[in-house]
Amino acid sequence: MQRPDEELLDFDTGELEDWDEERARAALDGDHGTLYRNHLDIALHLVQWAEAESGRTDTDARYKAGYTQALRDMAAFLRQTYYLP
């Protein structure tokens, strides 16, 4: 079942450099709304993955920090509509 838009947009925007809620809502209502919803869902999973990875103890701390930051960055890019046509 598809998550409601409000749930997909329920995340901390404080660390996003280019967050624009008006742009995000327009994307949801636009021609690529289905794709953007998919991006928001993927972003949620990436953040959850980053959280899980940050708790690992079997990897080098610098590697783990870079890996989790990359996951969070990808989630941020997806949320900020960067990968929409």
Side-chain angles (χ1 to χ4, degrees), residues 32-72:
H32 303 290
T34 300
L35 178 60
Y36 186 45
R37 283 179 184 84
N38 179 258
H39 287 184
L40 291 172
D41 197 45
I42 292 168
L44 175 63
H45 290 285
L46 288 172
V47 169
Q48 291 170 343
W49 185 3
E51 294 293 322
E53 288 294 321
S54 68
R56 289 180 59 182
T57 58
D58 62 333
T59 60
D60 177 74
R62 290 187 329 161
Y63 170 83
K64 180 172 56 175
Y67 189 72
T68 58
Q69 185 61 50
L71 291 169
R72 288 186 176 100

Side-chain angles (χ1 to χ4, degrees), residues 9-26:
L9 292 173
D10 184 23
F11 53 85
D12 181 11
T13 60
E15 294 185 18
L16 301 179
E17 292 181 17
D18 188 29
W19 175 249
D20 182 334
E21 186 171 348
E22 190 173 310
R23 182 180 65 218
R25 297 227 179 245

